[in-house]
Amino acid sequence: MSWDESVITHYPNYNILNLADEWDSYTKEIVLKRLGPFSAPEYFSEWETSTLKAIVKNIVFDNRDNIIDWIVFHLDSKMTSEIGENQRKIGIPPEDVLVREGISVIDRIARSKFAKSFTDLEEDEQFKIISSLQLGQLPPIREWSRIPQKDLFSKFLLEIVAAYYSHPEVWSEIGYGGPAYPRGYVRTEYGLTDPWEARGDGK
Amino acid sequence: MENKDFIKHNCDHYEGSRLNHLNNRKYGDIEVDVCIVGAGAAGSLLAYELGKAGMKVVVIEAGPFWNPQTDFASDELSMKNLAWNDTRLVSGKDPISMGHNNSGRGVGGGTVHFTGVFFRFHESDFKVRTLDGVAEDWPINYNDLKPYYDKVENQIKVSGPREFPWGPFRGPYPYPEREPISANAEVFREGCEALGIKSTVAPLAILSAPFDGRPPCINRGFCNQGCLPNAKFSALIHYVPKAIKHGVEILSDCMVTRVLTNPTGGSVTGVEFVHDGRNYRQMAKVVILSNFVVETPRLLLNSATSSHSQGLANSSGLVGKYIMPHSGHDMYAKFQNEIRLYKGTPVLAVSQDFYETDRTRGFVRGYTFNAHGSRPVEMAMGLANAGIWGKQLRQVMMDFNFYARITLVGEVLPIVNNSVTLSEEKDEYGLPRALVTFSYSDNDNKLIAHGVAKANEILKAAGGEPAFVVPDTAHLMGGCRMGNDPQTSVVNSFCQSHDIPNLYICSASVFVTSGGANPTETVMAIASRTADHLINRMNKGRLGKSDEVKGRTMEKVTR
Ligand SMILES: Cc1cc2nc3c(=O)[nH]c(=O)nc-3n(C[C@H](O)[C@H](O)[C@H](O)COP(=O)(O)OP(=O)(O)OC[C@H]3O[C@@H](n4cnc5c(N)ncnc54)[C@H](O)[C@@H]3O)c2cc1C
Ligand code: SF4
């Protein structure tokens, strides 16, 4: 994925981690943990993990391993957590089942369509499968009656996106001010920035 | 600073005691005057007012007793734990996203992570049937709530403009308006002005000057993650500590699983609750359910007995019916220069120019606009929900700082089929999970279309390029609506259930219509009025007794 050519940051010189000492210690602890190292997945098996990584890369259009590892770690903890899933459409299986069966169905589709595992596919082939999943247009197989394609896609998408945009490296790229306690913001009006905030090129 | 929190492991809190077990309860086997279920906006205010009046009060709250300094972080992902995360099943044409989006869990309830936008309803909101021929009238009108709106605004020192341009209340607010406002609020106001639309700085339950040992807001923007400096009002930091001083006992991490009735079913006797896998009881002369729109119906339905086979307080069959969110669509526009949506209190400017019915628009009722900041997770998940992902999402998010946003708070008309019912699936307590069903009506969709188009005009007039519309909802109301007729409502105007005189329901669940504005000030005004009613009854020695209550409600009794 040549993401670096089509996605360009306005803030090449901004690194939010340089601000970490300004954050309250609880926030700092939470955010810095996202840099790893991560314990091995408890819920996902090895091949599920590698398939999941490939899915994640497609969804976030990014292939930096350190960020992908954090997202997989987050998903793995979510699958084993006792915290509920807020809402689930009636008739859809619980999220741990949905995600696990989803990974395996996606791999099965790859094998029947391209005679390769999902992880061995070319990037554009992987992308084709994931984008057909979003539209509910993968080949009709029995499993979809239990694991509706669009619901599976949106479960992957929302959890993955939430984790991705919680990674400090991504915060730096988009120029987000990040955690701001205890200092808050003094200059909030249009056109003003506090001295420590991200500054665009040439400013 | 070490961040090891111990307070949240405590589950029993009363003046002089903070205990991590239930072996020394203040009341224990003693029958209290009032047991309140849920320590949210309504429950905490009731506890404070009733405790102050000298009643014996116990509040039972399912979630933890948060300590802002050690439990709250400036982080979107980890602070999703402030929500009621338990799984609810959802269905309908427009299934509602639950959790962080609309329900809090823990002492303070939804106010811990609410945005703090603080509106009164307008006079028309209470008589939609009379004025517009749809929905239902409330059994109260604006003037019944007016003294309580005044009281609540003063108690918590709402900040807002000197002159408020819409509705019956024109300001000033107890505390001055916030200043400066954020860039997002500025461009919103510029866009409005260019089009001749009135706008103001938002009335907020957020301090603009010190009060009660709390500092003014420092603009960090994380109101939906819990306010660390305590500048934002929440029931957790305002009413609860004061209630404790007045003798109230708060039991946290205690999930109420059943409301208990006497053998004839004519009155309630208390509640059963679970802490750490064990069952306990609290007996009370009066039980008030303040546990919000989904859990109150679920609890009433799960408390069915042989004499109340459809569930308690449900002779009308309307427990769980007529629930309403607000339509909460987010309109994003891209600007040439940076807006930086993450900075400042999320909502600092608003407009209610489209609040009242205008027949020429082709629909009834209306809406509020909030200029609404965002942090990256919220924006990216919103865009993902609208079907944007992969390369496009990354490209859009690279321009995160260049977007402005307006959020709609649109009135949703009550429909009987929009409801909370019991599903087949059980939760960890062995109780059926709630099934929340929701579909917009035709009027709702027309209102949304109008709001989306107007917001985009405003953004454009401010120099932005309208880019994305993210469908969303906010807030929840209804499910146990108030009314004078026991056949068409669940509680009377004082939140007393028609069926069982010593059972009250007091929260956003008693709303008859949704209004087109953020609801919590109205939730609190209703709770304050109910508190006065209960204190009155106590003074007359009639607390929880069955007899006619004065005024309009009597018409219903003698009907
Ligand atoms: C993200 C967000 C932003 C918001 N922004 C605004 C805003 O800007 N302005 C505004 O006016 N409103 C806003 N709201 C809405 C506001 O939070 C609610 O209107 C308000 O909290 C409702 O008050 P309540 O007393 O009815 O219920 P809640 O405050 O939700 O309290 C209910 C309590 O009951 C507890 N409970 C539930 N079941 C049980 C049980 N069985 N046993 C024991 N306890 C139980 C819950 O844990 C909870 O603490 C927002 C809400 C959210 C989620
Ligand atoms: S913006 Fe102000 S009120 Fe909101 S969380 Fe930050 S300090 Fe608290």
Side-chain angles (χ1 to χ4, degrees), chain A residues 2 30 39 51 57 71 84 99 103 122 125 140 143 148 151 158 163 179-180 183 190:
Chain A
S2 48
I30 289 172
S39 47
T51 309
K57 286 180 184 176
I71 297 173
V99 168
I103 293 172
E122 296 300 322
E125 293 166 339
E143 284 80 349
D151 295 287
L158 291 176
R183 75 175 148 193
Y190 185 77

Side-chain angles (χ1 to χ4, degrees), chain A residues 3 6 10-11 25-27 34 59-60 84-88 90 134 164 173 175 185 187 190 197-198, chain B residues 1 3 74-75 85 87-88 90 98 186 218-219 338 340 342-343 387 389-390 394-395 399 401 425:
Chain A
W3 64 268
S6 54
H10 297 282
Y11 312 99
S25 59
Y26 182 48
T27 301
R34 295 178 187 153
I59 288 202
V60 299
E85 49 182 309
N86 300 330
Q87 73 282 322
R88 183 186 341 121
I90 194 149
Q134 179 194 19
Y164 182 77
E173 274 171 5
Y185 293 98
R187 296 165 192 83
Y190 185 77
E197 292 186 75
Chain B
M1 185 176 57
N3 267 309
S74 302
D75 183 63
N85 297 119
T87 305
R88 272 88 174 244
V90 293
M98 306 295 300
E186 284 182 83
I218 58 167
N219 270 317
E338 290 168 335
R340 299 191 186 238
Y342 60 85
K343 289 175 72 172
W389 60 284
R394 268 213 81 195
Q395 285 172 334
D399 295 331
N401 280 346
E425 197 177 309

Side-chain angles (χ1 to χ4, degrees), chain B residues 206 217-223 226-229 231-232 344-346:
Chain B
I206 295 177
C217 170
I218 58 167
N219 270 317
R220 61 189 257 285
F222 287 88
C223 297
C227 181
L228 265 157
K232 186 186 77 172
T345 300

Side-chain angles (χ1 to χ4, degrees), chain A residues 3 6-11 24-27 29-31 34 58-62 64 70 74 83-90 127 130-131 134 153 157-159 161-166 171 173-194 197-200 203, chain B residues 1-4 69-80 84-91 95-100 180-183 186-187 218-220 222 228-229 337-340 342-344 375-377 380-381 384-385 387-391 393-395 397-402 425 433 435:
Chain A
W3 64 268
S6 54
V7 200
I8 300 156
T9 173
H10 297 282
Y11 312 99
D24 66 276
S25 59
Y26 182 48
T27 301
E29 180 187 323
I30 289 172
V31 175
R34 295 178 187 153
N58 274 278
I59 288 202
V60 299
F61 194 68
D62 195 335
R64 284 170 287 184
W70 143 248
H74 170 75
I83 296 171
E85 49 182 309
N86 300 330
Q87 73 282 322
R88 183 186 341 121
K89 267 199 231 162
I90 194 149
F127 177 75
I130 300 298
S131 48
Q134 179 194 19
F153 177 80
L157 178 61
L158 291 176
E159 289 303 332
V161 163
Y164 182 77
Y165 285 99
S166 296
W171 290 348
E173 274 171 5
I174 65 175
Y176 172 45
Y181 184 74
R183 75 175 148 193
Y185 293 98
V186 181
R187 296 165 192 83
T188 57
E189 302 102 306
Y190 185 77
L192 301 186
T193 47
D194 282 337
E197 292 186 75
R199 300 296 174 85
K203 273 206 204 153
Chain B
M1 185 176 57
E2 257 295 272
N3 267 309
K4 293 285 166 262
Q69 282 304 308
T70 53
D71 290 336
F72 298 172
S74 302
D75 183 63
E76 292 178 89
L77 189 66
S78 56
M79 287 297 101
K80 287 184 187 288
W84 188 280
N85 297 119
D86 289 4
T87 305
R88 272 88 174 244
L89 298 177
V90 293
S91 70
I96 300 176
S97 87
M98 306 295 300
H100 194 267
I181 59 173
S182 62
E186 284 182 83
V187 294
I218 58 167
N219 270 317
R220 61 189 257 285
F222 287 88
L228 265 157
N337 295 319
E338 290 168 335
I339 302 294
R340 299 191 186 238
Y342 60 85
K343 289 175 72 172
R375 275 124 291 288
V377 173
M381 286 183 78
N385 255 325
I388 295 160
W389 60 284
K391 185 168 159 181
L393 181 60
R394 268 213 81 195
Q395 285 172 334
M397 287 301 292
M398 279 295 173
D399 295 331
F400 170 63
N401 280 346
F402 293 80
E425 197 177 309
R433 288 191 193 284
L435 169 62

